Amino acid sequence: PITPGELLCLGSSLAFSGLFYYLYRRKARVVARIQEAPKLQVDDKLPALVSAAEGRCLPYVALEGIVLPAQAALTSHYHEGLQGVIQKLLLKEHRLIWNSLARGW
């Protein structure tokens, strides 16, 4: 005979397994889309291509080309000859709306 506690453990284990499998499959689809992304060169044609795209946005593309630093390139303290640059960050703040039911923003 199976006790109610064992049934509860089995049910919760199956529920968690299903949830984690769903999350895994969703992330696997995103990774597949990124790996299949078209590779574009950074050249004079790129702005025209972005302007012609729907919503002026190219989802999941890989850009290849030479990047020049705005000031000085960053050098690694751990690997000689390794340099990098920092990408400009764009911060978009979303408007906060008070939710009176949950009493939070």
Side-chain angles (χ1 to χ4, degrees):
I2 299 176
T3 64
E6 291 173 338
L7 284 176
L8 179 67
C9 289
L10 178 64
S12 63
S13 174
L14 288 174
F16 280 122
S17 295
L19 173 68
F20 291 138
Y21 182 72
Y22 167 75
L23 293 174
Y24 164 76
R25 293 300 305 158
R26 198 169 86 186
K27 295 301 179 184
R29 282 193 298 265
V30 172
V31 168
R33 284 185 62 196
I34 291 173
Q35 289 177 342
E36 295 170 357
K39 294 181 181 178
L40 303 175
Q41 295 293 324
V42 177
D43 56 7
D44 296 334
K45 300 176 191 174
L46 187 60
L49 184 63
V50 172
S51 298
E54 181 181 339
R56 299 187 63 169
C57 179
L58 298 173
Y60 298 124
V61 296
L63 294 176
E64 296 177 339
I66 298 174
V67 178
L68 300 176
Q71 295 175 355
L74 301 172
T75 56
S76 174
H77 295 288
Y78 304 107
H79 301 284
E80 289 185 27
L82 189 62
Q83 294 184 338
V85 295
I86 296 178
Q87 175 184 1
K88 284 187 179 180
L89 298 177
L90 175 67
L91 177 64
K92 181 177 180 182
E93 294 186 26
H94 297 281
R95 187 174 143 210
L96 295 176
I97 299 174
W98 176 257
N99 184 348
S100 61
L101 182 63
R103 297 195 180 271
W105 292 98

